[in-house]
Amino acid sequence: MDEPTFTVTELNVAIRDAVRDKFPRDVWVKGEVQGLNRSGLGHTYFQLVEKAGKGERPLSRIDVALFRDDRPSVNRALKDSGLRLEPDVEVRIRGRVGFWTGGGKLQLVMNGIDPVFTVGGMAANRERLLKALAGEGLLRANGALAMPMVPLRIGLVSSADTAGYHDFVEQLGESGFAFRVCLADVRVQGSGAQKRIVWALRQLAHQPVDAVVIVRGGGSRSDLAPFDTEDVARAIAAMPVPVVTGIGHEVDRSVADEVAHTACKTPTACAQTLIEQVYEFVDRLDEVSRGVAGLARARCALAAREMGECARRVRRGAPGALVRELTALERRRVRVEELGTRGVREAAATLDDRRRLLVAAGTRLSRG
């Protein structure tokens, strides 16, 4: 007797029916979202994967389809918890196990999600990572760096086509200070974001910058996932300059915020922090300038007082000194006159004596 031969359709239908018999009701499955794709018809497709550990290769995976009719209820549940279906996020979802005969593919048709599982898992992973980083002294490594007094050369990790980037750059431009921005243009959300952020930080570590800023334009709690990863945290801790974060979430602080030198709520707040640092330097410079000017004025005033006192002493002493000099001069004049008069008298007496001698000599010659 010949063995039965299935057509492809018959085999797929048989597999579908066997799957339905094995899983007659919805099941809950947990795993990590990968390969998220939203179609133009409003359907969402992704893979749910199980890994041996964070960052490890998947041990197993299953395709998931979230059809348009089920999306509103799932999105409401996510929105109420501040979440969004994103790659790399751990989820617990409900769905119907099925086999798509047209594509010959086993899949889970999703119709529900447990947001509490995702939030709790993210919080637990975050706490474990923070504890490990604290044990290695990395939570305060970047914070221990001194912020330059005039941080005008800024390295920026952001995407140039986002509102967060424009808010940050425009705020710096309006300050009037000569800020220079070195941009590492990468997307900081979505699949692979943590690797892109780490790459950007390592690039900026070799640039002549005073500080590095990481900004993001806001989003859901699940969008923070890349900033709660160990790779990003360690990259920030290893930076040679202070790192300022403006991840744009008003409620939650990410691990990146905890490791960074300064954590701000928004990109605009990051810019204001840097501007205030420069203003503080300008204020200190003005204060020092005023002190130097005041000291110079005090020294000039002291010198003027000393010169005035010297002039007064000169004026007070000049008349007496002049009288003394005139008296001495008068004494010298009288002495000179006396010496002159006596000299004339002595000369006249000498001439008289010579005249008498000549007369006597002449008389003797006449007699002879």
Side-chain angles (χ1 to χ4, degrees):
M1 181 177 178
D2 294 336
E3 295 181 356
T5 301
F6 293 92
T7 66
V8 173
T9 300
E10 289 172 341
L11 179 60
N12 282 353
V13 169
I15 295 173
R16 181 197 65 189
D17 294 341
V19 170
R20 285 180 177 175
D21 291 340
K22 182 63 177 179
F23 298 98
R25 290 182 295 274
D26 290 349
V27 296
W28 286 93
V29 185
K30 64 180 181 179
E32 182 178 301
V33 176
Q34 293 291 339
L36 190 70
N37 178 40
R38 294 181 173 89
S39 75
L41 297 176
H43 309 313
T44 301
Y45 303 97
F46 60 94
Q47 288 186 330
L48 199 63
V49 304
E50 179 184 354
K51 296 181 178 179
K54 196 68 174 178
E56 297 292 334
R57 288 185 176 183
L59 296 175
S60 57
R61 66 181 71 226
I62 187 172
D63 291 323
V64 180
L66 174 60
F67 293 124
R68 180 176 53 202
D69 292 342
D70 292 317
R71 276 187 63 181
S73 61
V74 171
N75 286 340
R76 278 195 302 271
L78 290 170
K79 184 177 181 181
D80 290 342
S81 299
L83 298 173
R84 193 163 59 184
L85 199 60
E86 291 287 348
D88 304 321
V89 175
E90 291 277 349
V91 295
R92 178 174 178 261
I93 62 176
R94 185 185 64 216
R96 182 179 68 258
V97 181
F99 189 83
W100 177 33
T101 59
K105 184 170 64 175
L106 182 71
Q107 65 181 5
L108 182 67
V109 180
M110 178 181 175
N111 54 42
I113 190 168
D114 177 11
V116 175
F117 172 85
T118 300
V119 173
M122 292 172 65
N125 290 335
R126 179 179 180 277
E127 290 306 315
R128 281 195 296 269
L129 179 55
L130 287 174
K131 185 176 181 180
L133 294 172
E136 297 180 40
L138 296 181
L139 284 184
R140 297 292 175 263
N142 193 256
L145 299 177
M147 178 69 75
M149 290 189 294
V150 192
L152 294 176
R153 301 173 301 172
I154 306 301
L156 178 61
V157 179
S158 181
S159 177
D161 60 357
T162 62
Y165 165 80
H166 291 290
D167 289 345
F168 177 79
V169 173
E170 288 173 6
Q171 191 76 14
L172 292 185
E174 292 172 0
S175 71
F177 295 124
F179 283 102
R180 289 185 296 168
V181 176
C182 178
L183 174 65
D185 189 0
V186 296
R187 290 182 60 248
V188 297
Q189 296 178 191
S191 180
Q194 70 185 69
K195 294 181 179 179
R196 294 192 294 270
I197 295 169
V198 170
W199 176 87
L201 289 171
R202 289 174 178 168
Q203 293 299 308
L204 292 175
H206 299 290
Q207 299 298 318
V209 297
D210 300 315
V212 168
V213 177
I214 306 173
V215 299
R216 184 186 72 112
S220 67
R221 183 183 298 176
S222 56
D223 288 332
L224 291 175
F227 299 98
D228 280 331
T229 60
E230 183 174 356
D231 290 344
V232 171
R234 290 186 179 278
I236 292 174
M239 287 297 290
V241 296
V243 175
V244 181
T245 56
I247 297 175
H249 204 281
E250 294 292 338
V251 179
D252 296 311
R253 280 174 63 91
S254 67
V255 174
D257 291 326
E258 300 292 345
V259 178
H261 183 282
T262 304
C264 303
K265 292 295 185 183
T266 64
T268 299
C270 282
Q272 290 171 344
T273 296
L274 296 172
I275 293 169
E276 288 171 4
Q277 178 77 6
V278 179
Y279 267 124
E280 287 179 7
F281 173 79
V282 172
D283 290 342
R284 289 195 296 270
L285 188 60
D286 289 343
E287 184 178 350
V288 171
S289 298
R290 289 192 296 270
V292 171
L295 180 60
R297 287 193 296 270
R299 293 291 178 87
C300 289
L302 178 60
R305 288 196 298 271
E306 291 177 347
M307 290 180 65
E309 181 61 28
C310 183
R312 285 191 293 273
R313 287 197 300 270
V314 169
R315 286 195 297 270
R316 286 196 301 267
L322 184 59
V323 170
R324 290 193 296 273
E325 291 299 322
L326 291 175
T327 301
L329 183 60
E330 180 62 20
R331 286 198 299 269
R332 292 188 182 91
R333 185 189 65 78
V334 171
R335 177 63 176 163
V336 169
E337 288 182 353
E338 290 177 348
L339 292 174
T341 301
R342 187 172 65 184
V344 170
R345 285 197 301 269
E346 291 176 350
T350 301
L351 288 174
D352 286 344
D353 290 342
R354 295 293 187 272
R355 183 177 60 78
R356 285 193 295 272
L357 290 173
L358 287 173
V359 171
T363 299
R364 286 195 298 272
L365 288 172
S366 298
R367 290 176 183 173

